[in-house]
Amino acid sequence: MNFDQLIHQLKLDKEEFYFQFNSHPDYPSALALSDTLDFFRIQNDAYEVEEDIWGELPNKYIAIVKQDGQSKFTLVHHTSNGYDLFSDKKYHYSEKEFKENVGNFVLIMDDQQQEKSDKIGKKNIFYILIALFLLVSIPFNTLWNNVFNLLSVIGIVLSYELFFQDLGQTSVIISNICSGAKSGADASSASSCDKVIGDSTFNIMGLKLQDYSFIYFLSIFLIGVFIPFSATALGIFSCISLVAVAYSLYMQSVVLKTFCKVCLFIASILIVQFVVFLLRPGVNVYSLYPILAAVVLIIGVFAFVYYLKDLNLKYDELKKNHMKNLRFKRNFQLFQRELESEGEINFEKPEELFFVGKTNSKLQMAIISNPYCGFCKGGHEIIEKLLNKYEDMSVQIRFNYRDFRADDNYKKLLSKLYEIYQKDQKEFLKALHFWFEKRDHALFFSTYGEAEINQPFLHALEIQTIENDKYSLNFTPIFIVNKFKYPNMYDREDIFYFTDDLIDG
């Protein structure tokens, strides 16, 4: 499923979104989408709505809308003249069109979510470098050279987007050019682009025509910027490019019988470059050196692009296999079976000492921990996130403590934490978080004060530790989930994928 425009509008990390969505055990359901949005901290609630209350919904929500004959998860913007729809592409429906094609499912998102800034991805870094090369070269070139190089940059952008589109990473730029980004009527134009771009008739050494287009534009740009007296070389390559234009037009008109807008745009750039070269003023300097240098540079660019595509294809294959494995791993029935494969752990006093959350909650957890355990910090952070998100759960924090091994600092630390806990559970969690962040006795005591050693409390804690030993809970951190030890085959962070099912079950 393609969500490129939806992702762009919500300003999400595209690669992370697809990874989380595709690896969800309920992919490609509405629950998978809802949980993926939750992962990005976009709070959302699912509803079934009747036709007469569409006008009462917020101006922005996600619904299932039929586009191009298919029902798609779509970000809906209600505007003054209809509805702007964002899924794989951007559409615009009138009020009548929208109500005829929308289902009754809707995800309403929290408008108060924090705005997320776009990351500077690898693609943007590449474009920034190309722009810098172009700007630096402008003072040293003639007007005609700069026009030629600027056309090369436009060709690089379009070809680079096509290059990654062929790897399954659909480009918003290409989608907008092909579809026109206006209405469902432009779907045939978009599908024509997909047909031409996906065609494998022209395939030499595993590279398609759009790959060679990227190699060509990147090469002649670098030639024009870095190789002096390269007019002859550029002229030769411009002439050769007309053969590629003729072949592309033949394939689109005769073989495929459909035209791709972006391909025609690239062909137009090649023709304009050839015309620019013919109109180039001045006397050309004919030299073998620039031609040989240009050939070497093209071979280098070819090798780089070939390696890049091969690397991306292998990476995509590994990612697909990884997502399939995660989908299997995140299946709740398998998790529950693995969780309950060992015997129950029945603590005599599960609500004693450090106990946070609701008593008799549906999800009851415990964490076996130690204030001096480096790995315990991550375990407590998970517990904090769960407590902040779910009300119907409780956690008992069971510190492994042995009096004969403990020094005064350890005893005072635990006594102070217990003192804070008895006054306010939330303050206790903050203090515990502070300790794991700093792990500095002097800093902790200067912040929260120093407590007297509470010997009765420490004795009760030691009894609790003996009970942990009874169940072989010696290492830290260990999660106990509804009286069962958290399975070793799962990462601790995987608990987030099963929490809703654990509470609902």
Side-chain angles (χ1 to χ4, degrees):
M1 300 182 79
N2 192 312
F3 296 94
D4 281 7
Q5 280 285 348
L6 185 153
I7 293 168
H8 178 70
Q9 290 295 315
L10 294 179
K11 298 181 180 179
L12 305 178
D13 184 296
K14 178 179 174 180
E15 187 173 356
E16 185 65 37
F17 178 93
Y18 280 122
F19 179 79
Q20 294 297 331
F21 180 72
N22 292 335
S23 63
H24 194 282
D26 292 311
Y27 168 87
S29 68
L31 176 60
L33 177 60
S34 177
D35 285 349
T36 301
L37 293 175
D38 280 338
F39 174 84
F40 286 97
R41 298 182 181 178
I42 300 178
Q43 295 182 5
N44 62 92
D45 295 293
Y47 299 94
E48 288 188 8
V49 298
E50 301 297 331
E51 184 178 354
D52 57 344
I53 66 168
W54 280 105
E56 300 177 17
L57 294 177
N59 289 330
K60 183 170 71 173
Y61 50 86
I62 292 176
I64 297 178
V65 185
K66 186 175 288 186
Q67 303 153 38
D68 306 340
Q70 295 182 330
S71 294
K72 305 176 182 179
F73 289 113
T74 305
L75 180 67
V76 178
H77 281 189
H78 191 188
T79 65
S80 57
N81 62 341
Y83 294 86
D84 286 336
L85 310 175
F86 303 90
S87 52
D88 53 339
K89 299 184 289 290
K90 180 182 176 182
Y91 298 81
H92 182 81
Y93 277 178
S94 66
E95 187 91 20
K96 181 180 178 183
E97 284 178 308
F98 177 75
K99 290 186 175 179
E100 287 175 351
N101 290 282
V102 70
N104 62 347
F105 168 83
V106 64
L107 274 178
I108 297 180
M109 299 172 294
D110 182 6
D111 286 335
Q112 302 302 318
Q113 62 171 299
Q114 184 177 0
E115 288 294 324
K116 300 170 180 62
S117 58
D118 291 319
K119 291 184 178 179
I120 301 179
K122 296 177 183 177
K123 194 183 292 185
N124 292 338
I125 293 173
F126 174 74
Y127 289 153
I128 290 170
L129 288 175
I130 293 295
L132 286 174
F133 287 146
L134 179 64
L135 290 172
V136 170
S137 68
I138 286 176
F140 305 99
N141 284 321
T142 65
L143 174 63
W144 298 101
N145 288 113
N146 288 327
V147 170
F148 195 92
N149 289 340
L150 180 60
L151 289 169
S152 296
V153 170
I154 298 173
I156 287 172
V157 172
L158 294 176
S159 301
Y160 195 56
E161 296 288 335
L162 282 177
F163 177 80
F164 280 99
Q165 172 126 338
D166 191 46
L167 294 173
Q169 302 176 24
T170 306
S171 161
V172 174
I173 295 174
I174 300 301
S175 297
N176 285 338
I177 292 175
C178 288
S179 69
K182 283 295 177 185
S183 69
D186 294 307
S188 60
S189 180
S191 61
S192 297
C193 284
D194 293 337
K195 183 177 181 181
V196 175
I197 294 168
D199 179 64
S200 57
T201 305
F202 183 90
N203 192 318
I204 300 177
M205 298 182 67
L207 299 179
K208 298 181 181 179
L209 192 60
Q210 57 264 28
D211 303 326
Y212 284 99
S213 171
F214 176 55
I215 293 170
Y216 173 81
F217 280 116
L218 182 57
S219 298
I220 62 171
F221 172 75
L222 295 176
I223 290 169
V225 170
F226 292 108
I227 299 180
F229 309 114
S230 56
T232 302
L234 292 175
I236 293 171
F237 296 130
S238 292
C239 292
I240 295 173
S241 72
L242 296 182
V243 177
V245 170
Y247 176 80
S248 176
L249 293 175
Y250 167 77
M251 290 297 297
Q252 293 180 69
S253 61
V254 178
V255 179
L256 301 175
K257 294 183 173 56
T258 187
F259 287 95
C260 162
K261 288 182 182 180
V262 70
C263 303
L264 294 176
F265 198 180
I266 290 175
S268 301
I269 293 172
L270 293 172
I271 294 171
V272 172
Q273 279 190 320
F274 178 73
V275 173
V276 168
F277 173 77
L278 292 179
L279 296 176
R280 179 188 178 94
V283 178
N284 292 325
V285 178
Y286 297 96
S287 173
L288 186 60
Y289 162 75
I291 297 175
L292 291 176
V295 171
V296 172
L297 190 148
I298 289 174
I299 293 172
V301 172
F302 173 85
F304 169 73
V305 173
Y306 183 85
Y307 170 77
L308 185 64
K309 182 155 189 179
D310 183 60
L311 191 66
N312 273 273
L313 288 172
K314 289 178 180 177
Y315 171 74
D316 284 348
E317 187 64 29
L318 287 172
K319 191 165 70 171
K320 287 176 184 176
N321 290 333
H322 185 45
M323 285 189 293
K324 290 178 182 177
N325 292 335
L326 280 179
R327 200 178 301 162
F328 179 79
K329 183 181 179 183
R330 293 171 179 175
N331 182 287
F332 177 68
Q333 283 72 29
L334 294 177
F335 170 78
Q336 190 172 35
R337 187 173 65 188
E338 189 67 22
L339 177 69
E340 297 176 359
S341 61
E342 297 184 23
E344 285 190 8
I345 296 174
N346 291 296
F347 295 127
E348 288 187 12
K349 298 177 180 179
E351 298 175 12
E352 189 184 40
L353 303 183
F354 298 113
F355 179 85
V356 181
K358 291 174 58 178
T359 57
N360 301 320
S361 57
K362 290 185 178 179
L363 175 58
Q364 299 177 5
M365 291 185 63
I367 178 172
I368 315 302
S369 180
N370 187 310
Y372 299 103
C373 161
F375 294 107
C376 291
K377 176 185 175 183
H380 282 277
E381 287 175 347
I382 291 172
I383 293 298
E384 282 186 65
K385 290 177 182 177
L386 290 172
L387 287 170
N388 288 333
K389 184 175 181 180
Y390 299 98
E391 293 183 359
D392 198 8
M393 72 167 292
S394 63
V395 177
Q396 186 189 34
I397 300 170
R398 300 172 67 92
F399 291 118
N400 274 339
Y401 170 82
R402 290 171 175 82
D403 192 73
F404 70 93
R405 292 182 184 174
D407 59 16
D408 284 350
N409 277 332
Y410 189 13
K411 293 177 181 180
K412 289 178 181 179
L413 172 66
L414 291 173
S415 298
K416 187 62 185 180
L417 287 172
Y418 188 61
E419 180 184 302
I420 298 171
Y421 165 79
Q422 288 181 307
K423 294 177 181 177
D424 191 318
Q425 290 186 1
K426 290 184 178 179
E427 283 302 314
F428 160 71
L429 290 175
K430 289 180 181 179
L432 191 58
H433 180 87
F434 181 87
W435 165 256
F436 277 111
E437 282 292 325
K438 308 299 182 182
R439 292 180 65 184
D440 184 301
H441 290 103
L443 183 59
F444 182 84
F445 292 141
S446 66
T447 304
Y448 289 96
E450 192 168 337
E452 294 291 330
I453 295 176
N454 187 336
Q455 203 59 52
F457 156 71
L458 294 175
H459 179 68
L461 197 60
E462 193 163 23
I463 293 173
Q464 196 176 83
T465 302
I466 294 171
E467 189 177 29
N468 293 344
D469 293 340
K470 173 185 172 183
Y471 292 104
S472 299
L473 303 175
N474 310 113
F475 298 99
T476 55
I478 297 174
F479 285 168
I480 309 299
V481 181
N482 287 343
K483 298 184 180 181
F484 292 98
K485 183 181 175 183
Y486 190 78
N488 291 327
M489 67 174 290
Y490 288 89
D491 296 327
R492 290 191 295 271
E493 292 78 5
D494 291 336
I495 187 67
F496 293 109
Y497 297 102
F498 308 116
T499 311
D500 287 320
D501 290 302
L502 287 166
I503 290 176
D504 292 340

